mmCIF file of all heavy atoms in Angstrom:
data_model
loop_
_atom_site.group_PDB
_atom_site.id
_atom_site.type_symbol
_atom_site.label_atom_id
_atom_site.label_comp_id
_atom_site.label_asym_id
_atom_site.label_seq_id
_atom_site.Cartn_x
_atom_site.Cartn_y
_atom_site.Cartn_z
ATOM 1 N N THR A 257 -14.413 2.530 -5.996
ATOM 2 C CA THR A 257 -14.845 1.136 -6.002
ATOM 3 C C THR A 257 -13.727 0.236 -6.446
ATOM 4 O O THR A 257 -12.769 0.693 -7.038
ATOM 5 C CB THR A 257 -16.076 0.906 -6.911
ATOM 6 O OG1 THR A 257 -15.620 1.092 -8.260
ATOM 7 C CG2 THR A 257 -17.239 1.822 -6.575
ATOM 8 N N LYS A 258 -13.829 -1.061 -6.135
ATOM 9 C CA LYS A 258 -12.840 -2.037 -6.631
ATOM 10 C C LYS A 258 -12.803 -2.028 -8.153
ATOM 11 O O LYS A 258 -11.731 -2.196 -8.769
ATOM 12 C CB LYS A 258 -13.143 -3.469 -6.139
ATOM 13 C CG LYS A 258 -12.595 -3.731 -4.795
ATOM 14 C CD LYS A 258 -12.733 -5.206 -4.489
ATOM 15 C CE LYS A 258 -12.153 -5.477 -3.130
ATOM 16 N NZ LYS A 258 -11.103 -6.430 -3.107
ATOM 17 N N ALA A 259 -13.941 -1.855 -8.792
ATOM 18 C CA ALA A 259 -14.020 -1.936 -10.279
ATOM 19 C C ALA A 259 -13.340 -0.772 -10.950
ATOM 20 O O ALA A 259 -12.872 -0.926 -12.054
ATOM 21 C CB ALA A 259 -15.483 -2.005 -10.686
ATOM 22 N N ASN A 260 -13.226 0.403 -10.276
ATOM 23 C CA ASN A 260 -12.652 1.573 -10.965
ATOM 24 C C ASN A 260 -11.271 1.985 -10.412
ATOM 25 O O ASN A 260 -10.749 3.070 -10.739
ATOM 26 C CB ASN A 260 -13.574 2.747 -10.959
ATOM 27 C CG ASN A 260 -13.758 3.402 -9.628
ATOM 28 O OD1 ASN A 260 -13.079 3.078 -8.637
ATOM 29 N ND2 ASN A 260 -14.670 4.312 -9.524
ATOM 30 N N ILE A 261 -10.652 1.153 -9.591
ATOM 31 C CA ILE A 261 -9.417 1.501 -8.932
ATOM 32 C C ILE A 261 -8.323 2.041 -9.900
ATOM 33 O O ILE A 261 -7.844 3.133 -9.771
ATOM 34 C CB ILE A 261 -8.837 0.336 -8.114
ATOM 35 C CG1 ILE A 261 -9.692 0.120 -6.860
ATOM 36 C CG2 ILE A 261 -7.396 0.574 -7.745
ATOM 37 C CD1 ILE A 261 -9.329 -1.132 -6.078
ATOM 38 N N TYR A 262 -7.994 1.270 -10.870
ATOM 39 C CA TYR A 262 -6.896 1.645 -11.785
ATOM 40 C C TYR A 262 -7.280 2.741 -12.735
ATOM 41 O O TYR A 262 -6.520 3.605 -13.054
ATOM 42 C CB TYR A 262 -6.317 0.389 -12.448
ATOM 43 C CG TYR A 262 -5.736 -0.526 -11.397
ATOM 44 C CD1 TYR A 262 -6.356 -1.706 -11.054
ATOM 45 C CD2 TYR A 262 -4.561 -0.182 -10.703
ATOM 46 C CE1 TYR A 262 -5.841 -2.537 -10.052
ATOM 47 C CE2 TYR A 262 -4.070 -1.015 -9.717
ATOM 48 C CZ TYR A 262 -4.692 -2.186 -9.393
ATOM 49 O OH TYR A 262 -4.190 -2.979 -8.399
ATOM 50 N N ASP A 263 -8.570 2.701 -13.238
ATOM 51 C CA ASP A 263 -9.001 3.765 -14.108
ATOM 52 C C ASP A 263 -9.052 5.080 -13.349
ATOM 53 O O ASP A 263 -8.698 6.145 -13.906
ATOM 54 C CB ASP A 263 -10.388 3.499 -14.662
ATOM 55 C CG ASP A 263 -10.381 2.306 -15.688
ATOM 56 O OD1 ASP A 263 -9.308 2.077 -16.278
ATOM 57 O OD2 ASP A 263 -11.431 1.679 -15.887
ATOM 58 N N LEU A 264 -9.502 5.054 -12.132
ATOM 59 C CA LEU A 264 -9.563 6.262 -11.285
ATOM 60 C C LEU A 264 -8.122 6.837 -11.085
ATOM 61 O O LEU A 264 -7.922 8.011 -11.227
ATOM 62 C CB LEU A 264 -10.206 5.955 -9.973
ATOM 63 C CG LEU A 264 -10.370 7.103 -8.989
ATOM 64 C CD1 LEU A 264 -11.130 8.287 -9.554
ATOM 65 C CD2 LEU A 264 -11.075 6.592 -7.732
ATOM 66 N N LEU A 265 -7.197 5.995 -10.731
ATOM 67 C CA LEU A 265 -5.814 6.436 -10.541
ATOM 68 C C LEU A 265 -5.250 7.105 -11.824
ATOM 69 O O LEU A 265 -4.697 8.151 -11.770
ATOM 70 C CB LEU A 265 -4.882 5.263 -10.174
ATOM 71 C CG LEU A 265 -4.854 4.876 -8.699
ATOM 72 C CD1 LEU A 265 -4.091 3.571 -8.545
ATOM 73 C CD2 LEU A 265 -4.155 5.951 -7.898
ATOM 74 N N THR A 266 -5.406 6.416 -12.939
ATOM 75 C CA THR A 266 -4.919 6.891 -14.202
ATOM 76 C C THR A 266 -5.567 8.249 -14.588
ATOM 77 O O THR A 266 -4.859 9.190 -14.884
ATOM 78 C CB THR A 266 -5.187 5.862 -15.336
ATOM 79 O OG1 THR A 266 -4.536 4.642 -14.965
ATOM 80 C CG2 THR A 266 -4.621 6.336 -16.662
ATOM 81 N N TRP A 267 -6.903 8.314 -14.517
ATOM 82 C CA TRP A 267 -7.615 9.506 -14.874
ATOM 83 C C TRP A 267 -7.278 10.665 -13.912
ATOM 84 O O TRP A 267 -6.976 11.780 -14.403
ATOM 85 C CB TRP A 267 -9.115 9.235 -14.821
ATOM 86 C CG TRP A 267 -9.930 10.479 -15.085
ATOM 87 C CD1 TRP A 267 -10.248 10.990 -16.301
ATOM 88 C CD2 TRP A 267 -10.464 11.365 -14.148
ATOM 89 N NE1 TRP A 267 -10.955 12.169 -16.159
ATOM 90 C CE2 TRP A 267 -11.128 12.381 -14.820
ATOM 91 C CE3 TRP A 267 -10.463 11.386 -12.772
ATOM 92 C CZ2 TRP A 267 -11.770 13.437 -14.197
ATOM 93 C CZ3 TRP A 267 -11.114 12.437 -12.091
ATOM 94 C CH2 TRP A 267 -11.735 13.446 -12.800
ATOM 95 N N PHE A 268 -7.298 10.445 -12.670
ATOM 96 C CA PHE A 268 -7.042 11.482 -11.668
ATOM 97 C C PHE A 268 -5.643 12.046 -11.814
ATOM 98 O O PHE A 268 -5.457 13.227 -11.850
ATOM 99 C CB PHE A 268 -7.326 10.975 -10.234
ATOM 100 C CG PHE A 268 -7.362 12.090 -9.240
ATOM 101 C CD1 PHE A 268 -8.604 12.614 -8.883
ATOM 102 C CD2 PHE A 268 -6.244 12.558 -8.646
ATOM 103 C CE1 PHE A 268 -8.671 13.652 -7.944
ATOM 104 C CE2 PHE A 268 -6.261 13.552 -7.723
ATOM 105 C CZ PHE A 268 -7.504 14.112 -7.382
ATOM 106 N N ASN A 269 -4.680 11.170 -11.886
ATOM 107 C CA ASN A 269 -3.258 11.635 -11.940
ATOM 108 C C ASN A 269 -2.945 12.313 -13.235
ATOM 109 O O ASN A 269 -2.011 13.135 -13.316
ATOM 110 C CB ASN A 269 -2.310 10.487 -11.615
ATOM 111 C CG ASN A 269 -2.376 10.083 -10.158
ATOM 112 O OD1 ASN A 269 -2.752 10.880 -9.300
ATOM 113 N ND2 ASN A 269 -2.058 8.830 -9.847
ATOM 114 N N ALA A 270 -3.692 12.039 -14.321
ATOM 115 C CA ALA A 270 -3.455 12.723 -15.588
ATOM 116 C C ALA A 270 -4.161 14.090 -15.614
ATOM 117 O O ALA A 270 -3.759 14.980 -16.377
ATOM 118 C CB ALA A 270 -4.018 11.865 -16.727
ATOM 119 N N ASN A 271 -5.172 14.321 -14.787
ATOM 120 C CA ASN A 271 -5.998 15.543 -14.879
ATOM 121 C C ASN A 271 -5.861 16.521 -13.731
ATOM 122 O O ASN A 271 -6.346 17.631 -13.850
ATOM 123 C CB ASN A 271 -7.470 15.160 -14.990
ATOM 124 C CG ASN A 271 -7.751 14.539 -16.377
ATOM 125 O OD1 ASN A 271 -7.833 15.235 -17.365
ATOM 126 N ND2 ASN A 271 -7.891 13.252 -16.410
ATOM 127 N N TYR A 272 -5.232 16.138 -12.654
ATOM 128 C CA TYR A 272 -5.144 17.002 -11.479
ATOM 129 C C TYR A 272 -3.710 17.082 -10.945
ATOM 130 O O TYR A 272 -3.013 16.125 -10.982
ATOM 131 C CB TYR A 272 -6.062 16.546 -10.370
ATOM 132 C CG TYR A 272 -7.511 16.791 -10.793
ATOM 133 C CD1 TYR A 272 -8.230 15.781 -11.451
ATOM 134 C CD2 TYR A 272 -8.098 18.028 -10.620
ATOM 135 C CE1 TYR A 272 -9.529 16.026 -11.920
ATOM 136 C CE2 TYR A 272 -9.381 18.264 -11.121
ATOM 137 C CZ TYR A 272 -10.098 17.271 -11.717
ATOM 138 O OH TYR A 272 -11.348 17.514 -12.172
ATOM 139 N N LYS A 273 -3.311 18.244 -10.488
ATOM 140 C CA LYS A 273 -1.964 18.457 -9.973
ATOM 141 C C LYS A 273 -1.700 17.677 -8.719
ATOM 142 O O LYS A 273 -0.605 17.232 -8.498
ATOM 143 C CB LYS A 273 -1.728 19.953 -9.706
ATOM 144 C CG LYS A 273 -1.690 20.792 -10.975
ATOM 145 C CD LYS A 273 -1.478 22.235 -10.663
ATOM 146 C CE LYS A 273 -1.509 23.089 -11.961
ATOM 147 N NZ LYS A 273 -1.454 24.492 -11.701
ATOM 148 N N ARG A 274 -2.683 17.562 -7.918
ATOM 149 C CA ARG A 274 -2.510 16.825 -6.665
ATOM 150 C C ARG A 274 -2.701 15.303 -6.968
ATOM 151 O O ARG A 274 -3.755 14.899 -7.453
ATOM 152 C CB ARG A 274 -3.533 17.256 -5.586
ATOM 153 C CG ARG A 274 -3.331 18.673 -5.178
ATOM 154 C CD ARG A 274 -4.331 19.078 -4.149
ATOM 155 N NE ARG A 274 -4.273 20.476 -3.878
ATOM 156 C CZ ARG A 274 -3.466 21.015 -2.994
ATOM 157 N NH1 ARG A 274 -2.657 20.261 -2.299
ATOM 158 N NH2 ARG A 274 -3.442 22.321 -2.805
ATOM 159 N N LYS A 275 -1.721 14.538 -6.731
ATOM 160 C CA LYS A 275 -1.736 13.128 -7.117
ATOM 161 C C LYS A 275 -2.537 12.287 -6.135
ATOM 162 O O LYS A 275 -2.501 12.529 -4.918
ATOM 163 C CB LYS A 275 -0.321 12.570 -7.219
ATOM 164 C CG LYS A 275 0.499 13.249 -8.293
ATOM 165 C CD LYS A 275 -0.093 13.063 -9.645
ATOM 166 C CE LYS A 275 0.734 13.710 -10.773
ATOM 167 N NZ LYS A 275 0.038 13.870 -11.986
ATOM 168 N N LEU A 276 -3.177 11.312 -6.652
ATOM 169 C CA LEU A 276 -3.934 10.346 -5.895
ATOM 170 C C LEU A 276 -3.109 9.100 -5.718
ATOM 171 O O LEU A 276 -2.415 8.653 -6.661
ATOM 172 C CB LEU A 276 -5.241 9.983 -6.665
ATOM 173 C CG LEU A 276 -6.311 9.184 -5.973
ATOM 174 C CD1 LEU A 276 -6.884 9.984 -4.817
ATOM 175 C CD2 LEU A 276 -7.404 8.865 -6.938
ATOM 176 N N ILE A 277 -3.036 8.572 -4.509
ATOM 177 C CA ILE A 277 -2.239 7.367 -4.207
ATOM 178 C C ILE A 277 -3.155 6.291 -3.734
ATOM 179 O O ILE A 277 -4.060 6.557 -2.890
ATOM 180 C CB ILE A 277 -1.189 7.704 -3.168
ATOM 181 C CG1 ILE A 277 -0.246 8.801 -3.637
ATOM 182 C CG2 ILE A 277 -0.419 6.460 -2.813
ATOM 183 C CD1 ILE A 277 0.635 9.380 -2.537
ATOM 184 N N TYR A 278 -2.955 5.076 -4.229
ATOM 185 C CA TYR A 278 -3.805 3.963 -3.788
ATOM 186 C C TYR A 278 -2.997 3.064 -2.880
ATOM 187 O O TYR A 278 -1.863 2.690 -3.230
ATOM 188 C CB TYR A 278 -4.293 3.188 -4.976
ATOM 189 C CG TYR A 278 -5.023 1.906 -4.639
ATOM 190 C CD1 TYR A 278 -6.220 1.967 -3.935
ATOM 191 C CD2 TYR A 278 -4.499 0.657 -4.942
ATOM 192 C CE1 TYR A 278 -6.922 0.817 -3.612
ATOM 193 C CE2 TYR A 278 -5.186 -0.495 -4.599
ATOM 194 C CZ TYR A 278 -6.384 -0.422 -3.914
ATOM 195 O OH TYR A 278 -7.028 -1.555 -3.579
ATOM 196 N N TYR A 279 -3.537 2.738 -1.717
ATOM 197 C CA TYR A 279 -2.894 1.811 -0.831
ATOM 198 C C TYR A 279 -3.663 0.507 -0.852
ATOM 199 O O TYR A 279 -4.816 0.482 -0.385
ATOM 200 C CB TYR A 279 -2.881 2.393 0.597
ATOM 201 C CG TYR A 279 -1.996 3.611 0.748
ATOM 202 C CD1 TYR A 279 -2.499 4.863 0.706
ATOM 203 C CD2 TYR A 279 -0.594 3.439 0.899
ATOM 204 C CE1 TYR A 279 -1.702 5.987 0.848
ATOM 205 C CE2 TYR A 279 0.253 4.518 1.042
ATOM 206 C CZ TYR A 279 -0.295 5.794 1.019
ATOM 207 O OH TYR A 279 0.503 6.887 1.089
ATOM 208 N N ALA A 280 -3.095 -0.540 -1.451
ATOM 209 C CA ALA A 280 -3.792 -1.798 -1.564
ATOM 210 C C ALA A 280 -4.134 -2.399 -0.151
ATOM 211 O O ALA A 280 -5.213 -2.940 0.045
ATOM 212 C CB ALA A 280 -2.962 -2.774 -2.376
ATOM 213 N N GLN A 281 -3.186 -2.229 0.729
ATOM 214 C CA GLN A 281 -3.466 -2.707 2.082
ATOM 215 C C GLN A 281 -4.410 -1.736 2.731
ATOM 216 O O GLN A 281 -4.071 -0.584 2.903
ATOM 217 C CB GLN A 281 -2.177 -2.824 2.884
ATOM 218 C CG GLN A 281 -2.373 -3.433 4.262
ATOM 219 C CD GLN A 281 -1.073 -3.590 4.981
ATOM 220 O OE1 GLN A 281 -0.039 -3.114 4.570
ATOM 221 N NE2 GLN A 281 -1.117 -4.296 6.102
ATOM 222 N N GLY A 282 -5.627 -2.179 3.029
ATOM 223 C CA GLY A 282 -6.635 -1.279 3.587
ATOM 224 C C GLY A 282 -7.525 -0.722 2.477
ATOM 225 O O GLY A 282 -8.523 -0.066 2.743
ATOM 226 N N GLU A 283 -7.196 -0.991 1.237
ATOM 227 C CA GLU A 283 -7.970 -0.573 0.070
ATOM 228 C C GLU A 283 -8.548 0.836 0.225
ATOM 229 O O GLU A 283 -9.706 1.076 0.396
ATOM 230 C CB GLU A 283 -9.100 -1.554 -0.180
ATOM 231 C CG GLU A 283 -8.605 -2.935 -0.578
ATOM 232 C CD GLU A 283 -9.697 -3.898 -0.960
ATOM 233 O OE1 GLU A 283 -10.758 -3.860 -0.326
ATOM 234 O OE2 GLU A 283 -9.495 -4.656 -1.896
ATOM 235 N N ARG A 284 -7.631 1.856 0.105
ATOM 236 C CA ARG A 284 -8.075 3.207 0.223
ATOM 237 C C ARG A 284 -7.223 4.083 -0.708
ATOM 238 O O ARG A 284 -6.048 3.796 -0.981
ATOM 239 C CB ARG A 284 -8.026 3.704 1.621
ATOM 240 C CG ARG A 284 -6.625 3.765 2.210
ATOM 241 C CD ARG A 284 -6.693 4.052 3.693
ATOM 242 N NE ARG A 284 -5.394 4.434 4.236
ATOM 243 C CZ ARG A 284 -4.431 3.584 4.595
ATOM 244 N NH1 ARG A 284 -4.594 2.334 4.451
ATOM 245 N NH2 ARG A 284 -3.294 4.016 5.062
ATOM 246 N N PHE A 285 -7.818 5.174 -1.150
ATOM 247 C CA PHE A 285 -7.136 6.147 -1.927
ATOM 248 C C PHE A 285 -6.817 7.320 -1.013
ATOM 249 O O PHE A 285 -7.623 7.698 -0.181
ATOM 250 C CB PHE A 285 -8.022 6.711 -3.051
ATOM 251 C CG PHE A 285 -8.200 5.788 -4.212
ATOM 252 C CD1 PHE A 285 -9.232 4.921 -4.284
ATOM 253 C CD2 PHE A 285 -7.275 5.791 -5.249
ATOM 254 C CE1 PHE A 285 -9.370 4.027 -5.331
ATOM 255 C CE2 PHE A 285 -7.395 4.926 -6.331
ATOM 256 C CZ PHE A 285 -8.433 4.055 -6.361
ATOM 257 N N CYS A 286 -5.628 7.909 -1.153
ATOM 258 C CA CYS A 286 -5.266 9.032 -0.374
ATOM 259 C C CYS A 286 -4.817 10.171 -1.264
ATOM 260 O O CYS A 286 -4.259 9.953 -2.333
ATOM 261 C CB CYS A 286 -4.118 8.688 0.614
ATOM 262 S SG CYS A 286 -4.632 7.499 1.888
ATOM 263 N N ILE A 287 -5.136 11.376 -0.877
ATOM 264 C CA ILE A 287 -4.836 12.574 -1.677
ATOM 265 C C ILE A 287 -4.351 13.664 -0.779
ATOM 266 O O ILE A 287 -4.828 13.817 0.360
ATOM 267 C CB ILE A 287 -6.106 13.020 -2.483
ATOM 268 C CG1 ILE A 287 -5.660 14.164 -3.448
ATOM 269 C CG2 ILE A 287 -7.226 13.374 -1.612
ATOM 270 C CD1 ILE A 287 -6.733 14.512 -4.421
ATOM 271 N N GLN A 288 -3.415 14.443 -1.298
ATOM 272 C CA GLN A 288 -2.951 15.619 -0.533
ATOM 273 C C GLN A 288 -3.957 16.745 -0.798
ATOM 274 O O GLN A 288 -4.157 17.189 -1.889
ATOM 275 C CB GLN A 288 -1.576 15.998 -1.052
ATOM 276 C CG GLN A 288 -0.890 17.048 -0.213
ATOM 277 C CD GLN A 288 -0.632 16.652 1.221
ATOM 278 O OE1 GLN A 288 -0.402 15.474 1.454
ATOM 279 N NE2 GLN A 288 -0.608 17.589 2.134
ATOM 280 N N THR A 289 -4.617 17.176 0.261
ATOM 281 C CA THR A 289 -5.615 18.237 0.169
ATOM 282 C C THR A 289 -5.073 19.524 0.788
ATOM 283 O O THR A 289 -3.922 19.521 1.353
ATOM 284 C CB THR A 289 -6.909 17.867 0.875
ATOM 285 O OG1 THR A 289 -6.695 17.873 2.273
ATOM 286 C CG2 THR A 289 -7.440 16.526 0.448
ATOM 287 N N LEU A 290 -5.811 20.593 0.756
ATOM 288 C CA LEU A 290 -5.409 21.852 1.387
ATOM 289 C C LEU A 290 -5.288 21.661 2.910
ATOM 290 O O LEU A 290 -4.571 22.415 3.581
ATOM 291 C CB LEU A 290 -6.431 22.938 1.067
ATOM 292 C CG LEU A 290 -6.574 23.290 -0.421
ATOM 293 C CD1 LEU A 290 -7.690 24.241 -0.634
ATOM 294 C CD2 LEU A 290 -5.233 23.817 -0.973
ATOM 295 N N GLU A 291 -5.970 20.642 3.463
ATOM 296 C CA GLU A 291 -5.945 20.427 4.920
ATOM 297 C C GLU A 291 -4.963 19.311 5.280
ATOM 298 O O GLU A 291 -4.897 18.899 6.423
ATOM 299 C CB GLU A 291 -7.340 20.049 5.445
ATOM 300 C CG GLU A 291 -8.337 21.198 5.426
ATOM 301 C CD GLU A 291 -8.965 21.408 4.080
ATOM 302 O OE1 GLU A 291 -9.085 20.475 3.294
ATOM 303 O OE2 GLU A 291 -9.320 22.566 3.770
ATOM 304 N N GLY A 292 -4.212 18.767 4.336
ATOM 305 C CA GLY A 292 -3.309 17.671 4.585
ATOM 306 C C GLY A 292 -3.702 16.417 3.853
ATOM 307 O O GLY A 292 -4.671 16.478 3.052
ATOM 308 N N THR A 293 -3.090 15.310 4.128
ATOM 309 C CA THR A 293 -3.407 14.087 3.471
ATOM 310 C C THR A 293 -4.697 13.508 4.049
ATOM 311 O O THR A 293 -4.843 13.368 5.245
ATOM 312 C CB THR A 293 -2.282 13.039 3.634
ATOM 313 O OG1 THR A 293 -1.070 13.596 3.114
ATOM 314 C CG2 THR A 293 -2.578 11.760 2.887
ATOM 315 N N MET A 294 -5.629 13.168 3.115
ATOM 316 C CA MET A 294 -6.896 12.613 3.515
ATOM 317 C C MET A 294 -7.159 11.373 2.674
ATOM 318 O O MET A 294 -6.729 11.288 1.518
ATOM 319 C CB MET A 294 -8.048 13.611 3.342
ATOM 320 C CG MET A 294 -7.860 14.899 4.152
ATOM 321 S SD MET A 294 -9.189 16.079 3.858
ATOM 322 C CE MET A 294 -10.430 15.433 4.911
ATOM 323 N N CYS A 295 -7.789 10.352 3.289
ATOM 324 C CA CYS A 295 -7.995 9.100 2.612
ATOM 325 C C CYS A 295 -9.448 8.755 2.413
ATOM 326 O O CYS A 295 -10.310 9.153 3.218
ATOM 327 C CB CYS A 295 -7.330 7.950 3.381
ATOM 328 S SG CYS A 295 -5.534 8.166 3.455
ATOM 329 N N ALA A 296 -9.789 8.022 1.356
ATOM 330 C CA ALA A 296 -11.112 7.570 1.054
ATOM 331 C C ALA A 296 -11.092 6.051 0.851
ATOM 332 O O ALA A 296 -10.550 5.552 -0.079
ATOM 333 C CB ALA A 296 -11.636 8.234 -0.213
ATOM 334 N N PRO A 297 -11.682 5.293 1.803
ATOM 335 C CA PRO A 297 -11.775 3.849 1.623
ATOM 336 C C PRO A 297 -12.782 3.497 0.510
ATOM 337 O O PRO A 297 -13.532 4.391 0.104
ATOM 338 C CB PRO A 297 -12.212 3.319 2.990
ATOM 339 C CG PRO A 297 -12.624 4.508 3.765
ATOM 340 C CD PRO A 297 -12.170 5.736 3.091
ATOM 341 N N LEU A 298 -12.778 2.272 0.079
ATOM 342 C CA LEU A 298 -13.746 1.850 -0.935
ATOM 343 C C LEU A 298 -15.126 2.198 -0.487
ATOM 344 O O LEU A 298 -15.499 2.071 0.692
ATOM 345 C CB LEU A 298 -13.653 0.375 -1.156
ATOM 346 C CG LEU A 298 -12.359 -0.164 -1.781
ATOM 347 C CD1 LEU A 298 -12.357 -1.659 -1.919
ATOM 348 C CD2 LEU A 298 -12.123 0.502 -3.131
ATOM 349 N N GLY A 299 -15.951 2.699 -1.390
ATOM 350 C CA GLY A 299 -17.338 3.085 -1.063
ATOM 351 C C GLY A 299 -17.524 4.566 -0.859
ATOM 352 O O GLY A 299 -18.599 5.149 -1.083
ATOM 353 N N ASP A 300 -16.429 5.261 -0.410
ATOM 354 C CA ASP A 300 -16.504 6.712 -0.233
ATOM 355 C C ASP A 300 -16.367 7.402 -1.583
ATOM 356 O O ASP A 300 -16.083 6.756 -2.578
ATOM 357 C CB ASP A 300 -15.439 7.172 0.746
ATOM 358 C CG ASP A 300 -15.759 6.836 2.191
ATOM 359 O OD1 ASP A 300 -16.826 6.245 2.441
ATOM 360 O OD2 ASP A 300 -14.911 7.121 3.044
ATOM 361 N N TYR A 301 -16.485 8.712 -1.569
ATOM 362 C CA TYR A 301 -16.392 9.515 -2.791
ATOM 363 C C TYR A 301 -15.216 10.452 -2.724
ATOM 364 O O TYR A 301 -14.766 10.835 -1.669
ATOM 365 C CB TYR A 301 -17.695 10.355 -2.970
ATOM 366 C CG TYR A 301 -18.853 9.521 -3.387
ATOM 367 C CD1 TYR A 301 -19.594 8.757 -2.452
ATOM 368 C CD2 TYR A 301 -19.284 9.477 -4.712
ATOM 369 C CE1 TYR A 301 -20.677 8.020 -2.836
ATOM 370 C CE2 TYR A 301 -20.382 8.712 -5.096
ATOM 371 C CZ TYR A 301 -21.052 8.005 -4.144
ATOM 372 O OH TYR A 301 -22.125 7.236 -4.525
ATOM 373 N N ILE A 302 -14.815 10.887 -3.901
ATOM 374 C CA ILE A 302 -13.819 11.958 -4.061
ATOM 375 C C ILE A 302 -14.540 13.105 -4.783
ATOM 376 O O ILE A 302 -15.140 12.871 -5.812
ATOM 377 C CB ILE A 302 -12.590 11.541 -4.813
ATOM 378 C CG1 ILE A 302 -11.843 10.444 -3.995
ATOM 379 C CG2 ILE A 302 -11.664 12.740 -5.100
ATOM 380 C CD1 ILE A 302 -10.681 9.834 -4.758
ATOM 381 N N ILE A 303 -14.566 14.273 -4.165
ATOM 382 C CA ILE A 303 -15.211 15.434 -4.727
ATOM 383 C C ILE A 303 -14.165 16.286 -5.416
ATOM 384 O O ILE A 303 -13.072 16.525 -4.873
ATOM 385 C CB ILE A 303 -15.889 16.279 -3.609
ATOM 386 C CG1 ILE A 303 -16.960 15.474 -2.907
ATOM 387 C CG2 ILE A 303 -16.422 17.612 -4.123
ATOM 388 C CD1 ILE A 303 -18.217 15.285 -3.649
ATOM 389 N N ILE A 304 -14.504 16.801 -6.564
ATOM 390 C CA ILE A 304 -13.660 17.785 -7.291
ATOM 391 C C ILE A 304 -14.462 19.082 -7.178
ATOM 392 O O ILE A 304 -15.529 19.247 -7.749
ATOM 393 C CB ILE A 304 -13.429 17.413 -8.772
ATOM 394 C CG1 ILE A 304 -12.951 16.012 -8.918
ATOM 395 C CG2 ILE A 304 -12.496 18.432 -9.410
ATOM 396 C CD1 ILE A 304 -11.628 15.676 -8.297
#
């Protein structure tokens, strides 16, 4: 969500080896997964 963008980045990158990247243009988070780079726009979820 817009409300948790920076907290999510900070928390995720401190706790997981695969880094989460936020692209402000298009407002989406992208992560390197086992299947390649995948993105989650605002409103979608990230599963651990």
